[in-house]
Amino acid sequence: MPVVRLAHETDFDGWRAAARDLRAQGVPPSQAIWTVDGAADLFASPTSAGGVAVCEGSASATPAAAPPAFTVPKPFVDLARQVIQHRSDERFDLLYRLLWRLKDEPDLLHILSDPEVARANGYAREVSRAAHKMKAFVRFRLVHDEEGEAYVAWFEPAHRVTESTAPFFVKRFANMRFSILTPDVCVHWDLKQLAATPGADPADAPREDALEDYWKTYYASIFNPARLKVAAMQKEMPKRYWRNLPEAALIPELIAQAESRTSDMVRSAPTEPSRRVVKAAVRASRDAPYDGQAPVTLDEIAAGVDHCRRCDLWKDATQGVPGEGPGRARLLFVGEQPGDQEDLAGHPFVGPAGQMFDRALAAAGVPRTETYVTNAVKHFKHELTGKRRLHKTPNPGEVTACRWWLDAERRIVRPRVVVCLGATAVLSVFGKAMPIGKARQQALQLPDQAQGVVTYHPSFLLRVPDAKAKQEAFDAFVEDLKFAWALAA
Ligand code: URA
């Protein structure tokens, strides 16, 4: 019986080479044994892409000289790259079984009810989730070495996603020397190249430093007591990650204070699009491609936006941020795009603009939990200035591409009233620009029978410098929310 010894746990190239050979030699899945050779030196080269498969036994002793051509579909290769990162022991075998069947069943991957396809898809989803959790929950600590400042994080990913996720951190922290240590593998960015070394022990990572306070302040600022749902919070931030999160120490206290705490955090916030951008967006929206199968549930939307590639914004964002609220709501709010804090938290309007929004909703007597809150664009567009991620207004193509998701949300939620918060939302919902000051307090007919209402973006209120003018803008915003709520009744 052939035994395939892969060089390491995520040795995709080794698996692929061996699977190709075995398939060419007609070795059925039941006769192949897949193992990982722990002694192999994965880390010899910083750029090593994977190990070499060594096959033992009759079938692999002499690889076929000219294996018959058999090309697997690209979606299978993509799926296999994901599944290999799963911790399940059966992953190599499962993938080989799928590969074996693909030759006679070329549409196999479309049969989602097939138990093996379903299992592989499930593994891929879990791997993808683990990668997102890693992007959101890695916390760096400042250290000093002979070359100066560096940042080190200890993290225990649910699956072996460290190497595939490392480029995300390089992009985000390109000008900071860092290491991410995990039990599986460690990755190191020295400002020029990414290197990998064997897994580490938690004792190798520094535990306390000044950054702890930063994270605690940050987390306390995005914690929204008005919408505290302990179960949902634990789902988003599973307990297994708490150990390494400085802010986790705050969770019990924040939960205890949730009833009484109010927040008035004010910080710089997104700007509204310029007239030039608005004009270009209108032009771009005329021939928008609306391809693909539209989602029919909010869960599908939540999963979908995270994987959306309709534009390039996903590349720099932590995650797609879908709308939130009941499946049927009378009122649907549309903002511009997630900000820095929404991008990390995965929820709309939880940062400074969200807190302003919550205060205005409370003043207007509108229960946020009975409304659906979403954004025109689902990924955070920003540019890196030093270590800060500064908001950038989404461009016309991005607004247009993302309208596909907003339209799907509107079809599912079927609100009576759609409230546009600011110019980007107006553009997305109405397909044209409108002067917000003049369009306020009117019920504007939309093609799907809903009424549209236009008002300011909460971040506009944050930017008004003068206290009196700020209060007036806030009052006007509250009036608009009351107007919309009454219209939706
Ligand atoms: N600004 C928005 O438009 N949406 C958010 O979710 C947060 C800030």
Side-chain angles (χ1 to χ4, degrees):
M1 195 173 272
V3 178
V4 181
R5 294 190 190 288
L6 297 174
H8 55 89
E9 298 284 359
T10 52
D11 183 6
F12 174 75
D13 291 342
W15 175 85
R16 181 156 68 173
R20 228 187 248 144
D21 286 350
L22 292 175
R23 188 72 186 81
Q25 294 165 58
V27 178
S30 58
Q31 291 189 14
I33 295 178
W34 299 86
T35 64
V36 173
D37 182 356
D41 186 6
L42 160 66
F43 307 104
S45 146
T47 53
S48 71
V52 177
V54 179
C55 297
E56 290 180 354
S58 57
S60 59
T62 340
F70 167 47
T71 329
V72 293
K74 182 169 179 305
F76 175 74
V77 178
D78 295 341
L79 178 71
R81 277 189 203 282
Q82 286 282 100
V83 170
I84 289 269
Q85 299 172 58
H86 199 275
R87 291 198 190 275
S88 158
D89 289 337
E90 68 146 355
R91 65 197 183 286
F92 301 122
D93 181 44
L94 174 64
L95 288 173
Y96 184 54
R97 271 182 271 140
L98 288 174
L99 177 78
W100 179 265
R101 292 176 59 196
L102 269 173
K103 193 165 179 189
D104 298 324
E105 302 171 65
D107 288 332
L108 177 60
L109 294 190
H110 296 298
I111 307 172
L112 302 180
S113 57
D114 180 279
E116 290 180 339
V117 173
R119 228 166 38 255
N121 283 335
Y123 287 162
R125 269 195 305 276
E126 285 168 20
V127 165
S128 166
R129 185 171 156 79
H132 283 300
K133 294 295 171 205
M134 180 159 184
K135 290 176 188 174
F137 295 149
V138 160
R139 298 289 182 265
F140 288 102
R141 292 168 164 87
L142 180 62
V143 295
H144 290 90
D145 61 14
E146 54 293 347
E147 287 173 50
E149 274 189 359
Y151 293 83
V152 181
W154 169 256
F155 191 72
E156 292 170 43
H159 295 285
R160 297 185 181 94
V161 295
T162 306
E163 282 167 290
S164 62
T165 310
F168 165 86
F169 291 98
V170 170
K171 222 171 189 185
R172 178 175 287 182
F173 303 116
N175 52 4
M176 146 181 157
R177 263 188 326 124
F178 69 77
S179 293
I180 303 175
L181 316 180
T182 82
D184 310 308
V185 59
C186 302
V187 288
H188 313 271
W189 172 244
D190 66 0
L191 308 184
K192 288 201 192 86
Q193 65 174 351
L194 195 59
T197 55
D201 189 90
D204 296 337
R207 296 208 66 83
E208 295 291 330
D209 73 5
L211 291 190
E212 308 279 276
D213 286 342
Y214 167 79
W215 278 110
K216 284 180 186 166
T217 310
Y218 165 78
Y219 184 74
S221 76
I222 65 164
F223 182 85
N224 187 337
R227 288 182 297 113
L228 175 66
K229 287 189 193 134
V230 177
M233 188 172 91
Q234 287 185 1
K235 190 166 161 243
E236 287 306 316
M237 192 195 275
K239 276 198 167 160
R240 70 188 304 275
Y241 298 108
W242 287 22
R243 208 154 22 123
N244 299 311
L245 294 174
E247 67 267 33
L250 294 178
I251 292 173
E253 192 191 338
L254 289 169
I255 290 174
Q257 293 172 353
E259 289 287 301
S260 61
R261 207 175 133 238
T262 57
S263 170
D264 60 357
M265 191 170 170
V266 172
R267 263 191 35 188
S268 66
T271 50
E272 292 178 356
S274 69
R275 294 192 69 74
R276 185 183 55 75
V277 167
V278 165
K279 269 197 190 144
V282 174
R283 265 201 316 276
S285 67
R286 279 196 206 116
D287 13 70
Y290 272 58
D291 51 351
Q293 216 169 17
V296 290
T297 66
L298 292 178
D299 282 346
E300 279 175 18
I301 292 180
V305 296
D306 206 21
H307 291 99
C308 182
R309 302 294 182 261
R310 297 176 70 82
C311 74
D312 280 344
L313 292 186
W314 65 274
K315 289 184 180 165
D316 292 331
T318 306
Q319 57 195 316
V321 179
E324 256 177 18
R328 282 285 151 80
R330 287 181 282 161
L331 208 55
L332 181 146
F333 288 102
V334 185
E336 185 194 68
Q337 62 165 348
D340 180 68
Q341 302 189 14
E342 287 79 12
D343 167 80
L344 290 170
H347 303 286
F349 282 105
V350 293
Q355 292 175 15
M356 175 62 88
F357 183 44
D358 283 343
R359 278 175 46 211
L361 285 172
V366 180
R368 178 164 168 167
T369 47
E370 289 179 29
T371 69
Y372 189 85
V373 180
T374 191
N375 281 299
V377 170
K378 308 293 196 252
H379 282 101
F380 176 36
K381 182 171 183 181
H382 59 274
E383 65 190 349
L384 211 54
T385 305
K387 285 169 196 155
R388 294 193 59 208
R389 302 191 300 162
L390 295 185
H391 164 273
K392 274 185 89 178
T393 304
N395 73 28
E398 290 149 0
V399 173
T400 305
C402 219
R403 210 172 62 205
W404 194 76
W405 294 109
L406 179 59
D407 286 349
E409 287 174 306
R410 281 173 59 187
R411 274 195 305 274
I412 295 164
V413 176
R414 303 214 326 241
R416 289 186 195 161
V417 175
V418 176
V419 183
C420 300
L421 303 170
T424 302
V426 168
L427 180 63
S428 178
V429 170
F430 289 96
K432 63 179 185 183
M434 281 182 210
I436 291 180
K438 285 200 189 128
R440 292 179 51 231
Q441 295 278 325
Q442 293 177 42
L444 305 163
Q445 191 61 52
L446 288 164
D448 64 357
Q449 303 307 315
Q451 307 278 341
V453 169
V454 166
T455 186
Y456 304 112
H457 191 284
S459 63
F460 165 72
L461 310 179
L462 293 173
R463 292 197 305 274
V464 179
D466 169 74
K468 183 161 168 280
K470 196 185 215 62
Q471 186 59 47
E472 282 168 8
F474 181 80
D475 293 344
F477 185 51
V478 170
E479 285 312 306
D480 292 350
L481 298 181
K482 284 185 186 163
F483 172 77
W485 187 237
L487 192 64

XYZ file of all heavy atoms in Angstrom, residues 53 58 77 179 187 196 206 229 259 269 295 299 318 320 328 369 385 444 449 458 477 481:
160
model
N 6.664 15.587 -1.666
C 6.021 14.348 -1.262
C 6.916 13.170 -1.597
O 7.494 13.098 -2.674
C 4.707 14.192 -2.002
N 4.561 0.152 -3.699
C 4.645 -0.216 -5.102
C 4.149 0.870 -6.043
O 4.794 1.193 -7.020
C 3.862 -1.501 -5.337
O 2.540 -1.264 -4.913
N -8.865 23.327 -6.981
C -7.531 23.697 -6.476
C -7.688 24.719 -5.346
O -7.058 24.615 -4.282
C -6.661 24.271 -7.614
C -5.308 24.705 -7.079
C -6.488 23.227 -8.715
N 6.705 39.854 14.478
C 6.670 38.389 14.452
C 5.325 37.945 15.001
O 4.848 38.522 15.983
C 7.744 37.798 15.361
O 9.020 38.087 14.858
N 5.804 33.477 11.944
C 6.131 34.261 10.755
C 6.757 35.570 11.199
O 6.380 36.135 12.233
C 4.898 34.507 9.856
C 4.482 33.233 9.150
C 3.744 35.084 10.647
N 9.507 32.217 7.716
C 8.783 31.309 8.607
C 9.784 30.486 9.404
O 10.837 30.092 8.880
C 7.885 30.396 7.789
N 6.098 38.143 24.600
C 5.942 39.047 25.743
C 4.468 39.202 26.090
O 3.631 39.225 25.200
C 6.508 40.367 25.215
C 6.455 40.269 23.733
C 6.512 38.814 23.383
N -25.240 41.904 23.390
C -25.822 40.568 23.316
C -24.678 39.628 23.649
O -23.803 39.392 22.827
C -26.323 40.289 21.896
C -27.567 41.041 21.542
C -28.099 40.512 20.203
C -29.134 41.450 19.669
N -28.946 41.736 18.257
N -25.918 48.455 31.536
C -27.196 49.118 31.757
C -27.030 50.629 31.857
O -27.805 51.402 31.331
C -27.821 48.605 33.053
C -28.313 47.177 32.961
C -29.572 47.084 32.129
O -30.549 47.739 32.497
O -29.539 46.376 31.099
N -14.026 61.581 11.593
C -14.823 60.562 10.934
C -14.853 60.795 9.432
O -14.312 61.768 8.940
C -16.216 60.609 11.525
N -28.322 36.637 -3.330
C -28.648 35.940 -2.079
C -30.107 36.132 -1.714
O -30.703 37.150 -2.053
C -27.739 36.621 -1.056
C -27.294 37.883 -1.672
C -27.411 37.757 -3.149
N -28.445 35.624 6.123
C -27.254 34.807 6.421
C -26.373 34.673 5.183
O -25.149 34.723 5.253
C -27.650 33.411 6.908
C -28.092 33.453 8.364
O -27.838 34.481 9.015
O -28.704 32.478 8.821
N -10.292 44.027 6.875
C -10.249 42.842 7.734
C -11.357 41.871 7.345
O -11.169 40.667 7.306
C -10.454 43.261 9.206
O -9.498 44.256 9.511
C -10.308 42.089 10.149
N -15.664 41.771 5.412
C -16.833 42.475 4.900
C -17.788 42.681 6.062
O -17.911 41.818 6.920
N -37.156 41.326 8.957
C -38.165 42.252 8.427
C -38.114 43.480 9.313
O -38.225 43.373 10.539
C -39.580 41.664 8.501
C -39.903 40.665 7.427
C -40.145 41.365 6.084
N -39.790 40.509 4.969
C -40.568 39.537 4.504
N -41.743 39.355 5.022
N -40.165 38.788 3.514
N -32.888 48.337 17.569
C -33.085 46.885 17.401
C -34.276 46.557 16.498
O -34.415 45.433 16.052
C -33.332 46.228 18.766
O -34.305 47.019 19.454
C -32.062 46.136 19.586
N -1.494 55.669 6.948
C -0.598 56.805 7.203
C 0.124 56.460 8.491
O -0.484 56.507 9.557
C -1.411 58.103 7.367
O -2.214 58.242 6.200
C -0.505 59.307 7.503
N -39.624 60.399 -0.465
C -39.278 60.308 -1.885
C -39.552 58.881 -2.371
O -39.051 57.923 -1.772
C -37.800 60.663 -2.074
C -37.401 62.030 -1.493
C -35.891 62.154 -1.333
C -37.928 63.144 -2.386
N -41.366 50.551 -4.194
C -42.510 50.943 -3.356
C -42.110 51.507 -2.002
O -42.937 52.051 -1.293
C -43.518 49.784 -3.129
C -44.086 49.162 -4.392
C -44.684 50.213 -5.307
O -45.400 51.102 -4.872
N -44.350 50.133 -6.589
N -24.103 60.664 10.355
C -23.739 61.007 11.743
C -22.321 61.569 11.865
O -22.061 62.393 12.741
C -23.843 59.679 12.488
C -24.628 58.782 11.618
C -24.610 59.309 10.215
N -30.978 66.369 12.811
C -30.835 64.933 12.520
C -31.904 64.139 13.277
O -32.571 63.259 12.722
C -29.419 64.508 12.925
C -29.064 63.083 12.592
C -29.258 62.561 11.318
C -28.514 62.234 13.559
C -28.914 61.250 11.007
C -28.173 60.929 13.261
C -28.382 60.440 11.977
N -34.903 61.682 11.901
C -35.135 60.290 12.337
C -36.584 60.117 12.781
O -37.226 59.102 12.473
C -34.178 59.922 13.477
C -32.676 59.965 13.138
C -31.849 59.554 14.354
C -32.352 59.040 11.965
